[in-house]
Amino acid sequence: MGNVTSAVLVLIERCGKGGFEPLSLQCLELGRRVAGELGAKLTATLLGREVRSAAEELRHYGVDGVGVAEHPALDAYNPEAWAAALLRVIHQLQPRLVLMGDTPTAADLAPRVAFALGAGLVTDCVNIEVDAGEPLFTKPIFSGNAMAVYASSTGVTLATLRSGSDDAAARREQAAGDITEVEVEIRPGQAPVECVESIWEEEDGVSLGQAAVVVSGGRGIGGAEGFALLSALARILGGAVGASKPAVDCGWITPAAQVGQTGTVVAPSLYIAVGISGAMQHLSGMLASKVIVAINKSPDAPIFGIADYGVTGKYEEVIPAFTDAIAQWRA
Amino acid sequence: MHIIVCVKQVPDPESSPARFVVDEQARRVEPRGVPPVLNPFDENALEAALRMKDVHGDGAAVTILTLGHKLSTNLMLKTLGAGGDRLVRIEDDAFAQGQLDVYATCLAIAAAVRKIGPYDLILVGEQAADSNDRQAGVGMAHVLGIPVVTMASNLELRDGALWADRRLANRRERVKCPLPAVVAVSSDGAGLRYPSLVQLKAARSKPAQIWNAQDIGFDAQSSDRRLALRRIYAPRPQQRDCVMIGAESGEQAGRMLAAKLREDGVL
């Protein structure tokens, strides 16, 4: 058994509607397993303006404790304020491991905190296992063409977890664990970077990372017009449109739509790949999808090997008929 | 204004998986016949620098900094052809794949930046397609002791400061940052402009320095590492049993696919 006072700390983010970020709950599930193997406690932490009631709710997710840091400056993500607060939490709770979801917030926050602590950081982990008391971190490298397993030599290590790597922790009837308040001191104007304007983004359609259905097109789409067919299908399914890098490079669709290791990593319940042959770079960013449908001209396309349903044919004929059929039931 | 853009050479991420040979014994990835490309994320950083140069003309000098092993001269010329003014190419066996972790890499790049001399901005991409670390920008800023803006776009140099949009979880901020600073440029930019043949030819006469680890005062042996690579293996994407929808025509296949997905409770 490891040191009983050591802890695995999981940063819990909240989504717009006020619930917990699903990926944060996946981190909690992985954190519980790792903490068990390390003989460590599982502690969740919440940062925000007022997070007391959220902390109470978190006690239903199988944690040994919840660390909360409250401050008006922590209301929405602010790099310098959040980094200062998380550092305080880490100093007070002395975890051995700090886990967070591989979210836009963590992409900025995790390295700030890791470098401030002199700690190792492994981003984009798909698994953490414990070998002889030592945590080992698995992540894709070379655009998903290889998996690397790292050990960290620092006293505390940070890791971000890729979406879909674990199930989300389930809510339990029973609440447990104490809530620890962590004092944070954030002086306004302390940060060198000054925000002069803040624009809250109205979601334009469904965001790619969160969509339950993603309809993606690749080089086989042949032009921007083809993406209009995919958009129509995505609209009817309440999903988002994605793309492979070659389609983005051709200028047929915005770079923000790129799915893959060098774009957005997605794990929807339904992924429809159209005219995508399947470079690992792309596959690595969508393999965790629950159901994968591939539509491709070439029966030899590697994408069929990882798909649940496949159609060999011209997408210009398949997609409109497919869309119409769905529209008819939905009507 | 002096802008340093850090670019990394990586094996083309779009190449077929079969060409990335994973050597478990040597703990390295051997790209076989995979062409080297500029890290796609760094192309956005270089484009952001060139757009500032479009505005400021000769008032903004762009230095391309690259650090690696077995670098492609043609690839580096492409960065100068696209509009970079000067190339600093640091090549050493000490920088071969797997020799440095991301922390040691930050130390090495910071050493190179110090040797290059006074600068106002250091631009990097959000991540490298090969090592997939996503922390070099923040790390370099930490080592150099200067501020950092991540996920940045629409960069502007005005009144002796940097102005940029930074993308956060559910909002965008216009921020003002004192110089010098590190900027990790967001990857939803437009990608790098194509140099013309004339520009590529002219690139050959632009100043280029070639240094090694010793030249920048970087001692790979005594530099700390925080992460150690224990194991490497080829991913085995779980093969799924693909139900192929056979049909007389595309239209029929589309209708049959919809029916099948509905029958299986997917839709």
Side-chain angles (χ1 to χ4, degrees):
Chain A
M1 290 294 276
N3 180 354
V4 285
T5 63
S6 79
V8 172
L9 184 73
V10 179
L11 175 74
I12 304 294
E13 292 182 51
R14 286 178 301 157
C15 34
K17 298 155 220 125
F20 302 125
E21 178 68 50
L23 180 49
S24 294
L25 295 178
Q26 294 171 20
C27 289
L28 211 49
E29 187 65 23
L30 175 65
R32 183 203 333 279
R33 207 165 61 233
V34 173
E37 289 176 38
L38 288 172
K41 288 184 172 170
L42 176 66
T43 309
T45 187
L46 280 163
L47 314 178
R49 176 191 285 269
E50 284 172 2
V51 290
R52 247 341 256 243
S53 62
E56 284 295 341
E57 172 62 14
L58 253 189
R59 296 177 63 242
H60 289 278
Y61 285 84
V63 297
D64 297 310
V66 184
V68 300
E70 293 185 311
H71 193 284
L74 298 172
D75 195 18
Y77 180 67
N78 166 301
E80 290 82 6
W82 275 55
L86 186 54
L87 280 167
R88 282 294 312 148
V89 173
I90 292 171
H91 281 303
Q92 188 161 330
L93 302 179
Q94 294 288 317
R96 177 170 178 186
L97 258 185
V98 180
L99 289 185
M100 48 187 110
D102 203 65
T103 61
T105 292
D108 184 85
L109 179 64
R112 284 178 194 269
V113 172
F115 277 90
L117 287 168
L121 162 63
V122 191
T123 56
D124 202 22
C125 291
V126 295
N127 192 27
I128 301 173
E129 60 202 328
V130 177
D131 179 43
E134 181 185 45
L136 296 175
F137 305 84
T138 304
K139 66 176 286 179
I141 58 170
F142 286 88
S143 319
N145 285 292
M147 303 302 286
V149 181
Y150 291 97
S152 171
S153 59
T154 56
V156 53
T157 301
L158 282 78
T160 67
L161 182 73
R162 169 181 285 213
S163 176
S165 305
D166 246 284
D167 294 330
R171 190 182 192 279
R172 307 162 176 201
E173 208 41 59
Q174 196 75 28
D178 293 331
I179 295 177
T180 308
E181 281 182 31
V182 178
E183 290 278 332
V184 292
E185 201 180 310
I186 298 159
R187 284 188 298 270
Q190 208 176 15
V193 180
E194 180 195 341
C195 169
V196 290
E197 191 188 359
S198 193
I199 304 135
W200 291 86
E201 289 183 336
E202 298 281 320
E203 282 291 334
D204 184 20
V206 185
S207 92
L208 189 57
Q210 307 295 324
V213 179
V214 175
V215 183
S216 277
R219 200 195 296 277
I221 294 296
E225 317 75 52
F227 274 93
L229 293 179
L230 304 190
S231 293
L233 174 58
R235 220 172 13 250
I236 243 170
L237 293 169
V241 175
S244 71
K245 185 154 190 303
V248 170
D249 287 345
C250 290
W252 300 338
I253 186 159
T254 164
Q258 193 197 322
V259 170
Q261 187 70 47
T262 57
T264 303
V265 175
V266 301
S269 21
L270 176 59
Y271 190 89
I272 303 177
V274 189
I276 293 176
S277 62
M280 190 54 85
Q281 191 288 109
H282 183 81
L283 302 188
S284 173
M286 49 66 83
L287 271 174
S289 306
K290 201 159 162 232
V291 174
I292 298 171
V293 175
I295 298 165
N296 205 295
K297 262 192 325 210
S298 161
D300 305 322
I303 189 97
F304 289 121
I306 57 100
D308 301 284
Y309 300 91
V311 175
T312 315
K314 287 186 180 164
Y315 83 90
E316 299 93 324
E317 297 167 7
V318 179
I319 295 292
F322 181 59
T323 308
D324 286 348
I326 297 165
Q328 275 168 23
W329 314 321
R330 301 267 159 117
Chain B
M1 286 290 167
H2 182 202
I3 305 168
I4 299 174
V5 185
C6 302
V7 302
K8 187 177 189 184
Q9 171 180 313
V10 300
D12 187 355
E14 295 299 325
S15 287
S16 148
R19 293 178 170 217
F20 289 84
V21 179
V22 178
D23 185 339
E24 296 188 10
Q25 290 297 315
R27 277 182 284 183
R28 47 177 284 122
V29 175
E30 200 65 63
R32 300 251 168 94
V34 179
V37 296
L38 289 179
N39 174 32
F41 297 90
D42 298 344
E43 290 203 351
N44 290 298
L46 178 53
E47 180 61 28
L50 297 177
R51 287 186 181 189
M52 283 186 276
K53 199 174 161 59
D54 291 343
V55 173
H56 297 277
D58 289 340
V62 174
T63 297
I64 313 288
L65 169 60
T66 188
L67 187 139
H69 184 239
K70 295 186 179 167
L71 297 172
S72 149
T73 297
N74 279 339
L75 200 59
M76 295 310 143
L77 281 175
K78 183 179 157 189
T79 64
L80 291 176
D85 295 297
R86 169 195 177 197
L87 172 68
V88 175
R89 169 174 166 171
I90 306 173
E91 221 168 333
D92 203 300
D93 288 347
F95 305 140
Q97 187 194 133
Q99 296 298 304
L100 304 183
D101 74 347
V102 60
Y103 174 63
T105 303
C106 290
L107 295 179
I109 299 174
V113 163
R114 289 195 185 103
K115 165 121 181 169
I116 289 171
Y119 58 88
D120 298 287
L121 273 181
I122 300 173
L123 303 193
V124 300
E126 268 181 16
Q127 68 190 80
D130 55 356
S131 53
N132 187 24
D133 282 313
R134 281 191 246 173
Q135 45 184 300
V138 173
M140 280 162 55
H142 180 86
V143 173
L144 294 166
I146 57 177
V148 57
V149 180
T150 67
M151 306 218 204
S153 57
N154 297 323
L155 275 51
E156 200 185 337
L157 286 165
R158 183 158 43 89
D159 312 326
L162 167 82
W163 303 70
D165 289 349
R166 79 169 157 202
R167 183 164 42 80
L168 300 172
N170 44 10
R171 69 186 196 283
R172 202 155 43 81
E173 284 185 350
R174 188 71 181 162
V175 298
K176 181 187 176 189
C177 178
L179 303 176
V182 175
V183 179
V185 176
S186 134
S187 58
D188 28 66
L192 181 61
R193 61 191 65 184
Y194 286 101
S196 68
L197 283 174
V198 175
Q199 286 170 317
L200 278 176
K201 210 170 161 203
R204 293 187 182 275
S205 53
K206 288 189 177 177
Q209 256 113 13
I210 300 180
W211 294 336
N212 62 20
Q214 202 184 346
D215 292 330
I216 57 169
F218 178 77
D219 182 357
Q221 296 298 320
S222 67
S223 283
D224 269 352
R225 314 285 198 276
R226 290 173 179 168
L227 301 178
L229 179 64
R230 282 294 171 80
R231 206 152 50 80
I232 192 168
Y233 60 91
R236 287 167 286 270
Q238 208 182 348
Q239 296 289 308
R240 303 187 186 194
D241 290 328
C242 189
V243 176
M244 295 303 294
I245 310 288
E248 300 290 316
S249 69
E251 287 85 4
Q252 193 190 2
R255 284 191 299 272
M256 285 170 66
L257 175 65
K260 179 72 180 155
L261 292 180
R262 195 182 192 194
E263 183 190 319
D264 291 356
V266 177
L267 287 177

